[in-house]
Amino acid sequence: MKHRSKVGITIFIMAIVVAAIAAGCASTPLRTEASTSGIRAAEELGAADVPQASLHLNLARESLEKARVLAAQDKKEQAASMLLRAEADAELAIALSHEDSERSEALAAVARVRKLQQDSR
Amino acid sequence: MNAKSIFVIVACAGLLASCATTAPIELVNAREAYRQASTGPAVQVAPAQLHEAQQALALAEQSFQKNPKSYQTQDLAYVAHRKAQLAQASASIAQKQASQAQARRDYQDAQSKIIAETKTDLDQTRTALAASERSGEVSAERLSSAQDARIAADRQTAQAQEALAASAAQQLASEQEARKAAEKRAADAQAALAKLATVREEPRGMVITLSGSVLFATNQSTLLPDAQLRLNKVADALLINDQQNLIIEGHADSSGDAGYNLDLSLRRANTVRNYLVGRGYQASRIRAYGFGERNPIADNASAEGRANNRRVEIVVEHETLATNK
């Protein structure tokens, strides 16, 4: 009898823990910080003005919105997975913006060299 | 079951199996993107990003192996695709940065080259300038010598001019003195002539009138002895200035034949001319004319008048008239 009560207590505790974990998981908010900060960074770098970067910036925004919709639908896992898309697109938008500015600066540097060489002739 | 049925079953099973293992489009794109990234410059310049892409693709493949149609597989493949693109973008950024760095080096090299060329040009210019300055110093020395020589020449010229001016002044003074002396002689001669004969000034010159009765006997053209003495004094007075032209004019009174009188007056004029030439006057400067009785100066009705008309006039031409002739 005593042995049964210990098993019962153990099961009860485990049930509480599981319930608590389950309750915790159910109440965990959607972590969109990485996505939103990536999107904000891309915007500040002028991604909207670079065609290819602008595309991925929009994709990131859409994915973020879909994630929020999924989260609202209590599809946490799908929402989290969708946030990965948003983060990846935001990161790529940043890189493409950076690439565009590097391209412009490289072209300007080459032009400066050519002008200097022409002027010195 | 025959062999044909077995083949159909196997084919259908294979088809079903292939349908079951068809990768989602996200995974297909991810594989292709990674293939491109892994064969491009990302291998060299963006290995970290390429490694992340590889890991992301591996996760997607694992998910695909576990659950090919799950959203996790699609999302992981999507992320792997983006990671591969990110690797390529990173490689491109690295290339652009390398290009910029190379451009900066080229710019610096060009600047260094220009500076070196400019420095060389400057050195050459300085050298040329120094040579020019040296040449200028030599030129300055030559110029100084030339200036000294020119100053000396100017001084000599000035001295010569002074000497010439002094000489000219002296000559002028001498000429003035000579002119004064000549004028004095002329005045003396005129005064002496005034004592010997009648002297008057006319526009054609100074006219010296010698009485014919004093010079010649009646109807004669030979000089009387006393006339020679008188003509000597006249000749001496005229020789004071022997550069003047003389005109000897013989005149007669109206007695007798006019032609004879004309001839006689001419012969008498020539006699006086010859006598003056004999006394040293230049023959080329003396002309003799006979006017006969055409130019009387007194009334031929009286003896005194005829005596005055018989005369010889010596016209001393003015210098200007003599020159014009």
Side-chain angles (χ1 to χ4, degrees), chain A residues 34-68:
Chain A
S35 301
T36 53
S37 62
I39 290 170
R40 193 178 304 114
E43 288 172 343
E44 291 175 356
L45 284 173
D49 298 327
V50 181
Q52 198 63 26
S54 177
L55 168 65
H56 290 284
L57 176 61
N58 288 331
L59 289 173
R61 288 169 178 160
E62 291 173 3
S63 297
L64 176 61
E65 191 58 31
K66 286 180 181 176
R68 283 173 176 159

PDB file of all heavy atoms in Angstrom, chain A residues 34-68:
ATOM      1  N   ALA A  34      14.875  38.153 -33.938  1.00  0.00           N
ATOM      2  CA  ALA A  34      15.894  37.991 -34.987  1.00  0.00           C
ATOM      3  C   ALA A  34      15.355  38.430 -36.338  1.00  0.00           C
ATOM      4  O   ALA A  34      16.048  39.106 -37.122  1.00  0.00           O
ATOM      5  CB  ALA A  34      16.342  36.529 -35.039  1.00  0.00           C
ATOM      6  N   SER A  35      14.102  38.065 -36.599  1.00  0.00           N
ATOM      7  CA  SER A  35      13.521  38.433 -37.903  1.00  0.00           C
ATOM      8  C   SER A  35      13.317  39.934 -38.014  1.00  0.00           C
ATOM      9  O   SER A  35      13.710  40.567 -39.015  1.00  0.00           O
ATOM     10  CB  SER A  35      12.188  37.717 -38.088  1.00  0.00           C
ATOM     11  OG  SER A  35      12.374  36.332 -38.034  1.00  0.00           O
ATOM     12  N   THR A  36      12.722  40.491 -36.990  1.00  0.00           N
ATOM     13  CA  THR A  36      12.428  41.932 -37.074  1.00  0.00           C
ATOM     14  C   THR A  36      13.697  42.766 -37.105  1.00  0.00           C
ATOM     15  O   THR A  36      13.800  43.758 -37.843  1.00  0.00           O
ATOM     16  CB  THR A  36      11.567  42.357 -35.881  1.00  0.00           C
ATOM     17  OG1 THR A  36      12.205  41.925 -34.676  1.00  0.00           O
ATOM     18  CG2 THR A  36      10.188  41.736 -35.959  1.00  0.00           C
ATOM     19  N   SER A  37      14.690  42.370 -36.308  1.00  0.00           N
ATOM     20  CA  SER A  37      15.941  43.146 -36.325  1.00  0.00           C
ATOM     21  C   SER A  37      16.648  43.008 -37.675  1.00  0.00           C
ATOM     22  O   SER A  37      17.241  43.962 -38.185  1.00  0.00           O
ATOM     23  CB  SER A  37      16.872  42.681 -35.197  1.00  0.00           C
ATOM     24  OG  SER A  37      17.228  41.316 -35.393  1.00  0.00           O
ATOM     25  N   GLY A  38      16.555  41.795 -38.243  1.00  0.00           N
ATOM     26  CA  GLY A  38      17.168  41.615 -39.578  1.00  0.00           C
ATOM     27  C   GLY A  38      16.470  42.461 -40.621  1.00  0.00           C
ATOM     28  O   GLY A  38      17.136  43.095 -41.477  1.00  0.00           O
ATOM     29  N   ILE A  39      15.135  42.468 -40.549  1.00  0.00           N
ATOM     30  CA  ILE A  39      14.379  43.292 -41.511  1.00  0.00           C
ATOM     31  C   ILE A  39      14.710  44.764 -41.317  1.00  0.00           C
ATOM     32  O   ILE A  39      14.933  45.512 -42.290  1.00  0.00           O
ATOM     33  CB  ILE A  39      12.869  43.038 -41.331  1.00  0.00           C
ATOM     34  CG1 ILE A  39      12.517  41.624 -41.818  1.00  0.00           C
ATOM     35  CG2 ILE A  39      12.052  44.083 -42.078  1.00  0.00           C
ATOM     36  CD1 ILE A  39      11.104  41.188 -41.475  1.00  0.00           C
ATOM     37  N   ARG A  40      14.774  45.206 -40.068  1.00  0.00           N
ATOM     38  CA  ARG A  40      15.091  46.618 -39.806  1.00  0.00           C
ATOM     39  C   ARG A  40      16.484  46.979 -40.327  1.00  0.00           C
ATOM     40  O   ARG A  40      16.699  48.035 -40.918  1.00  0.00           O
ATOM     41  CB  ARG A  40      14.983  46.892 -38.315  1.00  0.00           C
ATOM     42  CG  ARG A  40      14.979  48.371 -37.974  1.00  0.00           C
ATOM     43  CD  ARG A  40      14.823  48.602 -36.483  1.00  0.00           C
ATOM     44  NE  ARG A  40      13.625  47.961 -35.946  1.00  0.00           N
ATOM     45  CZ  ARG A  40      13.612  46.947 -35.072  1.00  0.00           C
ATOM     46  NH1 ARG A  40      14.776  46.445 -34.647  1.00  0.00           N
ATOM     47  NH2 ARG A  40      12.510  46.418 -34.640  1.00  0.00           N
ATOM     48  N   ALA A  41      17.427  46.070 -40.105  1.00  0.00           N
ATOM     49  CA  ALA A  41      18.797  46.324 -40.581  1.00  0.00           C
ATOM     50  C   ALA A  41      18.832  46.430 -42.100  1.00  0.00           C
ATOM     51  O   ALA A  41      19.508  47.308 -42.676  1.00  0.00           O
ATOM     52  CB  ALA A  41      19.734  45.217 -40.112  1.00  0.00           C
ATOM     53  N   ALA A  42      18.101  45.555 -42.764  1.00  0.00           N
ATOM     54  CA  ALA A  42      18.065  45.601 -44.234  1.00  0.00           C
ATOM     55  C   ALA A  42      17.452  46.907 -44.709  1.00  0.00           C
ATOM     56  O   ALA A  42      17.928  47.521 -45.684  1.00  0.00           O
ATOM     57  CB  ALA A  42      17.273  44.418 -44.773  1.00  0.00           C
ATOM     58  N   GLU A  43      16.414  47.346 -44.010  1.00  0.00           N
ATOM     59  CA  GLU A  43      15.782  48.620 -44.384  1.00  0.00           C
ATOM     60  C   GLU A  43      16.755  49.781 -44.213  1.00  0.00           C
ATOM     61  O   GLU A  43      16.848  50.665 -45.070  1.00  0.00           O
ATOM     62  CB  GLU A  43      14.537  48.841 -43.520  1.00  0.00           C
ATOM     63  CG  GLU A  43      13.377  47.925 -43.871  1.00  0.00           C
ATOM     64  CD  GLU A  43      12.218  48.023 -42.885  1.00  0.00           C
ATOM     65  OE1 GLU A  43      12.436  48.544 -41.767  1.00  0.00           O
ATOM     66  OE2 GLU A  43      11.116  47.576 -43.232  1.00  0.00           O
ATOM     67  N   GLU A  44      17.488  49.772 -43.110  1.00  0.00           N
ATOM     68  CA  GLU A  44      18.430  50.872 -42.860  1.00  0.00           C
ATOM     69  C   GLU A  44      19.574  50.880 -43.860  1.00  0.00           C
ATOM     70  O   GLU A  44      20.149  51.926 -44.144  1.00  0.00           O
ATOM     71  CB  GLU A  44      18.975  50.760 -41.430  1.00  0.00           C
ATOM     72  CG  GLU A  44      17.915  51.054 -40.362  1.00  0.00           C
ATOM     73  CD  GLU A  44      18.435  50.826 -38.970  1.00  0.00           C
ATOM     74  OE1 GLU A  44      19.587  50.378 -38.833  1.00  0.00           O
ATOM     75  OE2 GLU A  44      17.689  51.085 -38.006  1.00  0.00           O
ATOM     76  N   LEU A  45      19.903  49.713 -44.389  1.00  0.00           N
ATOM     77  CA  LEU A  45      20.985  49.641 -45.380  1.00  0.00           C
ATOM     78  C   LEU A  45      20.506  50.013 -46.777  1.00  0.00           C
ATOM     79  O   LEU A  45      21.288  49.994 -47.723  1.00  0.00           O
ATOM     80  CB  LEU A  45      21.579  48.225 -45.411  1.00  0.00           C
ATOM     81  CG  LEU A  45      22.506  47.882 -44.249  1.00  0.00           C
ATOM     82  CD1 LEU A  45      22.897  46.403 -44.306  1.00  0.00           C
ATOM     83  CD2 LEU A  45      23.766  48.748 -44.314  1.00  0.00           C
ATOM     84  N   GLY A  46      19.210  50.314 -46.901  1.00  0.00           N
ATOM     85  CA  GLY A  46      18.700  50.738 -48.202  1.00  0.00           C
ATOM     86  C   GLY A  46      18.311  49.589 -49.099  1.00  0.00           C
ATOM     87  O   GLY A  46      18.364  49.728 -50.330  1.00  0.00           O
ATOM     88  N   ALA A  47      17.946  48.457 -48.510  1.00  0.00           N
ATOM     89  CA  ALA A  47      17.574  47.289 -49.314  1.00  0.00           C
ATOM     90  C   ALA A  47      16.393  47.587 -50.237  1.00  0.00           C
ATOM     91  O   ALA A  47      16.295  47.016 -51.330  1.00  0.00           O
ATOM     92  CB  ALA A  47      17.241  46.115 -48.403  1.00  0.00           C
ATOM     93  N   ALA A  48      15.543  48.493 -49.805  1.00  0.00           N
ATOM     94  CA  ALA A  48      14.374  48.813 -50.626  1.00  0.00           C
ATOM     95  C   ALA A  48      14.757  49.416 -51.961  1.00  0.00           C
ATOM     96  O   ALA A  48      13.994  49.366 -52.931  1.00  0.00           O
ATOM     97  CB  ALA A  48      13.449  49.756 -49.857  1.00  0.00           C
ATOM     98  N   ASP A  49      15.960  50.023 -52.026  1.00  0.00           N
ATOM     99  CA  ASP A  49      16.408  50.672 -53.252  1.00  0.00           C
ATOM    100  C   ASP A  49      17.221  49.749 -54.149  1.00  0.00           C
ATOM    101  O   ASP A  49      17.625  50.158 -55.242  1.00  0.00           O
ATOM    102  CB  ASP A  49      17.264  51.903 -52.898  1.00  0.00           C
ATOM    103  CG  ASP A  49      16.430  52.919 -52.121  1.00  0.00           C
ATOM    104  OD1 ASP A  49      15.216  53.009 -52.392  1.00  0.00           O
ATOM    105  OD2 ASP A  49      17.006  53.621 -51.261  1.00  0.00           O
ATOM    106  N   VAL A  50      17.524  48.542 -53.667  1.00  0.00           N
ATOM    107  CA  VAL A  50      18.285  47.575 -54.474  1.00  0.00           C
ATOM    108  C   VAL A  50      17.314  46.481 -54.918  1.00  0.00           C
ATOM    109  O   VAL A  50      16.746  45.792 -54.055  1.00  0.00           O
ATOM    110  CB  VAL A  50      19.454  46.973 -53.655  1.00  0.00           C
ATOM    111  CG1 VAL A  50      20.255  46.003 -54.508  1.00  0.00           C
ATOM    112  CG2 VAL A  50      20.350  48.092 -53.113  1.00  0.00           C
ATOM    113  N   PRO A  51      17.091  46.318 -56.203  1.00  0.00           N
ATOM    114  CA  PRO A  51      16.026  45.418 -56.663  1.00  0.00           C
ATOM    115  C   PRO A  51      16.058  44.031 -56.023  1.00  0.00           C
ATOM    116  O   PRO A  51      15.061  43.566 -55.460  1.00  0.00           O
ATOM    117  CB  PRO A  51      16.269  45.348 -58.171  1.00  0.00           C
ATOM    118  CG  PRO A  51      16.908  46.657 -58.499  1.00  0.00           C
ATOM    119  CD  PRO A  51      17.758  46.994 -57.317  1.00  0.00           C
ATOM    120  N   GLN A  52      17.169  43.330 -56.123  1.00  0.00           N
ATOM    121  CA  GLN A  52      17.247  41.969 -55.597  1.00  0.00           C
ATOM    122  C   GLN A  52      17.099  41.948 -54.076  1.00  0.00           C
ATOM    123  O   GLN A  52      16.420  41.079 -53.508  1.00  0.00           O
ATOM    124  CB  GLN A  52      18.588  41.340 -56.017  1.00  0.00           C
ATOM    125  CG  GLN A  52      18.631  39.830 -55.918  1.00  0.00           C
ATOM    126  CD  GLN A  52      17.637  39.151 -56.862  1.00  0.00           C
ATOM    127  OE1 GLN A  52      17.258  39.709 -57.900  1.00  0.00           O
ATOM    128  NE2 GLN A  52      17.183  37.950 -56.502  1.00  0.00           N
ATOM    129  N   ALA A  53      17.710  42.915 -53.416  1.00  0.00           N
ATOM    130  CA  ALA A  53      17.594  43.000 -51.954  1.00  0.00           C
ATOM    131  C   ALA A  53      16.167  43.338 -51.552  1.00  0.00           C
ATOM    132  O   ALA A  53      15.649  42.822 -50.537  1.00  0.00           O
ATOM    133  CB  ALA A  53      18.565  44.061 -51.419  1.00  0.00           C
ATOM    134  N   SER A  54      15.540  44.167 -52.340  1.00  0.00           N
ATOM    135  CA  SER A  54      14.151  44.548 -52.052  1.00  0.00           C
ATOM    136  C   SER A  54      13.222  43.338 -52.114  1.00  0.00           C
ATOM    137  O   SER A  54      12.305  43.184 -51.284  1.00  0.00           O
ATOM    138  CB  SER A  54      13.709  45.618 -53.043  1.00  0.00           C
ATOM    139  OG  SER A  54      12.358  45.951 -52.845  1.00  0.00           O
ATOM    140  N   LEU A  55      13.489  42.463 -53.084  1.00  0.00           N
ATOM    141  CA  LEU A  55      12.691  41.239 -53.210  1.00  0.00           C
ATOM    142  C   LEU A  55      12.769  40.419 -51.927  1.00  0.00           C
ATOM    143  O   LEU A  55      11.737  39.992 -51.362  1.00  0.00           O
ATOM    144  CB  LEU A  55      13.191  40.422 -54.402  1.00  0.00           C
ATOM    145  CG  LEU A  55      12.658  38.998 -54.515  1.00  0.00           C
ATOM    146  CD1 LEU A  55      11.146  39.006 -54.764  1.00  0.00           C
ATOM    147  CD2 LEU A  55      13.370  38.229 -55.631  1.00  0.00           C
ATOM    148  N   HIS A  56      13.970  40.177 -51.454  1.00  0.00           N
ATOM    149  CA  HIS A  56      14.133  39.346 -50.263  1.00  0.00           C
ATOM    150  C   HIS A  56      13.662  40.065 -49.006  1.00  0.00           C
ATOM    151  O   HIS A  56      13.214  39.404 -48.047  1.00  0.00           O
ATOM    152  CB  HIS A  56      15.596  38.907 -50.126  1.00  0.00           C
ATOM    153  CG  HIS A  56      15.990  37.913 -51.175  1.00  0.00           C
ATOM    154  ND1 HIS A  56      15.624  36.584 -51.128  1.00  0.00           N
ATOM    155  CD2 HIS A  56      16.675  38.070 -52.341  1.00  0.00           C
ATOM    156  CE1 HIS A  56      16.079  35.952 -52.194  1.00  0.00           C
ATOM    157  NE2 HIS A  56      16.722  36.839 -52.960  1.00  0.00           N
ATOM    158  N   LEU A  57      13.739  41.387 -49.003  1.00  0.00           N
ATOM    159  CA  LEU A  57      13.191  42.135 -47.868  1.00  0.00           C
ATOM    160  C   LEU A  57      11.680  41.921 -47.787  1.00  0.00           C
ATOM    161  O   LEU A  57      11.123  41.679 -46.686  1.00  0.00           O
ATOM    162  CB  LEU A  57      13.515  43.629 -48.023  1.00  0.00           C
ATOM    163  CG  LEU A  57      12.927  44.557 -46.953  1.00  0.00           C
ATOM    164  CD1 LEU A  57      13.471  44.187 -45.571  1.00  0.00           C
ATOM    165  CD2 LEU A  57      13.250  46.006 -47.286  1.00  0.00           C
ATOM    166  N   ASN A  58      11.042  41.959 -48.929  1.00  0.00           N
ATOM    167  CA  ASN A  58       9.588  41.724 -48.946  1.00  0.00           C
ATOM    168  C   ASN A  58       9.241  40.286 -48.555  1.00  0.00           C
ATOM    169  O   ASN A  58       8.256  40.036 -47.842  1.00  0.00           O
ATOM    170  CB  ASN A  58       9.026  42.046 -50.319  1.00  0.00           C
ATOM    171  CG  ASN A  58       9.011  43.541 -50.593  1.00  0.00           C
ATOM    172  OD1 ASN A  58       8.908  44.345 -49.673  1.00  0.00           O
ATOM    173  ND2 ASN A  58       9.134  43.910 -51.862  1.00  0.00           N
ATOM    174  N   LEU A  59      10.077  39.356 -49.048  1.00  0.00           N
ATOM    175  CA  LEU A  59       9.849  37.960 -48.672  1.00  0.00           C
ATOM    176  C   LEU A  59       9.985  37.784 -47.152  1.00  0.00           C
ATOM    177  O   LEU A  59       9.205  37.027 -46.528  1.00  0.00           O
ATOM    178  CB  LEU A  59      10.838  37.044 -49.404  1.00  0.00           C
ATOM    179  CG  LEU A  59      10.602  36.888 -50.914  1.00  0.00           C
ATOM    180  CD1 LEU A  59      11.750  36.095 -51.559  1.00  0.00           C
ATOM    181  CD2 LEU A  59       9.269  36.166 -51.180  1.00  0.00           C
ATOM    182  N   ALA A  60      10.963  38.451 -46.593  1.00  0.00           N
ATOM    183  CA  ALA A  60      11.152  38.364 -45.139  1.00  0.00           C
ATOM    184  C   ALA A  60       9.938  38.913 -44.406  1.00  0.00           C
ATOM    185  O   ALA A  60       9.473  38.332 -43.407  1.00  0.00           O
ATOM    186  CB  ALA A  60      12.415  39.135 -44.745  1.00  0.00           C
ATOM    187  N   ARG A  61       9.458  40.054 -44.874  1.00  0.00           N
ATOM    188  CA  ARG A  61       8.272  40.648 -44.237  1.00  0.00           C
ATOM    189  C   ARG A  61       7.067  39.687 -44.338  1.00  0.00           C
ATOM    190  O   ARG A  61       6.317  39.500 -43.367  1.00  0.00           O
ATOM    191  CB  ARG A  61       7.923  41.974 -44.910  1.00  0.00           C
ATOM    192  CG  ARG A  61       8.921  43.100 -44.585  1.00  0.00           C
ATOM    193  CD  ARG A  61       8.655  44.298 -45.488  1.00  0.00           C
ATOM    194  NE  ARG A  61       9.543  45.407 -45.188  1.00  0.00           N
ATOM    195  CZ  ARG A  61       9.780  46.388 -46.051  1.00  0.00           C
ATOM    196  NH1 ARG A  61       9.223  46.372 -47.264  1.00  0.00           N
ATOM    197  NH2 ARG A  61      10.594  47.377 -45.722  1.00  0.00           N
ATOM    198  N   GLU A  62       6.905  39.112 -45.534  1.00  0.00           N
ATOM    199  CA  GLU A  62       5.775  38.177 -45.715  1.00  0.00           C
ATOM    200  C   GLU A  62       5.912  36.959 -44.809  1.00  0.00           C
ATOM    201  O   GLU A  62       4.922  36.488 -44.197  1.00  0.00           O
ATOM    202  CB  GLU A  62       5.710  37.735 -47.179  1.00  0.00           C
ATOM    203  CG  GLU A  62       5.283  38.861 -48.123  1.00  0.00           C
ATOM    204  CD  GLU A  62       5.388  38.427 -49.576  1.00  0.00           C
ATOM    205  OE1 GLU A  62       5.731  37.243 -49.831  1.00  0.00           O
ATOM    206  OE2 GLU A  62       5.146  39.268 -50.463  1.00  0.00           O
ATOM    207  N   SER A  63       7.116  36.434 -44.739  1.00  0.00           N
ATOM    208  CA  SER A  63       7.327  35.259 -43.882  1.00  0.00           C
ATOM    209  C   SER A  63       7.071  35.598 -42.427  1.00  0.00           C
ATOM    210  O   SER A  63       6.487  34.785 -41.670  1.00  0.00           O
ATOM    211  CB  SER A  63       8.764  34.728 -44.052  1.00  0.00           C
ATOM    212  OG  SER A  63       8.962  34.288 -45.381  1.00  0.00           O
ATOM    213  N   LEU A  64       7.527  36.781 -42.025  1.00  0.00           N
ATOM    214  CA  LEU A  64       7.275  37.210 -40.646  1.00  0.00           C
ATOM    215  C   LEU A  64       5.775  37.313 -40.372  1.00  0.00           C
ATOM    216  O   LEU A  64       5.278  36.869 -39.311  1.00  0.00           O
ATOM    217  CB  LEU A  64       7.952  38.553 -40.384  1.00  0.00           C
ATOM    218  CG  LEU A  64       7.722  39.189 -39.017  1.00  0.00           C
ATOM    219  CD1 LEU A  64       8.253  38.270 -37.899  1.00  0.00           C
ATOM    220  CD2 LEU A  64       8.390  40.556 -38.935  1.00  0.00           C
ATOM    221  N   GLU A  65       5.068  37.858 -41.333  1.00  0.00           N
ATOM    222  CA  GLU A  65       3.628  37.987 -41.171  1.00  0.00           C
ATOM    223  C   GLU A  65       2.950  36.615 -41.107  1.00  0.00           C
ATOM    224  O   GLU A  65       2.041  36.371 -40.290  1.00  0.00           O
ATOM    225  CB  GLU A  65       3.061  38.825 -42.321  1.00  0.00           C
ATOM    226  CG  GLU A  65       1.611  39.239 -42.120  1.00  0.00           C
ATOM    227  CD  GLU A  65       1.402  40.026 -40.845  1.00  0.00           C
ATOM    228  OE1 GLU A  65       2.336  40.752 -40.420  1.00  0.00           O
ATOM    229  OE2 GLU A  65       0.323  39.891 -40.217  1.00  0.00           O
ATOM    230  N   LYS A  66       3.413  35.713 -41.982  1.00  0.00           N
ATOM    231  CA  LYS A  66       2.854  34.344 -41.962  1.00  0.00           C
ATOM    232  C   LYS A  66       3.131  33.671 -40.615  1.00  0.00           C
ATOM    233  O   LYS A  66       2.282  32.960 -40.064  1.00  0.00           O
ATOM    234  CB  LYS A  66       3.462  33.507 -43.088  1.00  0.00           C
ATOM    235  CG  LYS A  66       2.943  33.864 -44.464  1.00  0.00           C
ATOM    236  CD  LYS A  66       3.609  32.977 -45.521  1.00  0.00           C
ATOM    237  CE  LYS A  66       3.124  33.338 -46.919  1.00  0.00           C
ATOM    238  NZ  LYS A  66       3.825  32.546 -47.962  1.00  0.00           N
ATOM    239  N   ALA A  67       4.325  33.896 -40.094  1.00  0.00           N
ATOM    240  CA  ALA A  67       4.676  33.295 -38.802  1.00  0.00           C
ATOM    241  C   ALA A  67       3.750  33.798 -37.707  1.00  0.00           C
ATOM    242  O   ALA A  67       3.307  33.041 -36.835  1.00  0.00           O
ATOM    243  CB  ALA A  67       6.134  33.619 -38.485  1.00  0.00           C
ATOM    244  N   ARG A  68       3.470  35.094 -37.781  1.00  0.00           N
ATOM    245  CA  ARG A  68       2.581  35.669 -36.769  1.00  0.00           C
ATOM    246  C   ARG A  68       1.155  35.071 -36.903  1.00  0.00           C
ATOM    247  O   ARG A  68       0.480  34.811 -35.901  1.00  0.00           O
ATOM    248  CB  ARG A  68       2.527  37.189 -36.914  1.00  0.00           C
ATOM    249  CG  ARG A  68       3.779  37.858 -36.356  1.00  0.00           C
ATOM    250  CD  ARG A  68       3.816  39.343 -36.655  1.00  0.00           C
ATOM    251  NE  ARG A  68       4.970  39.976 -36.031  1.00  0.00           N
ATOM    252  CZ  ARG A  68       5.489  41.127 -36.423  1.00  0.00           C
ATOM    253  NH1 ARG A  68       4.956  41.750 -37.474  1.00  0.00           N
ATOM    254  NH2 ARG A  68       6.515  41.634 -35.796  1.00  0.00           N
TER     255      ARG A  68
END
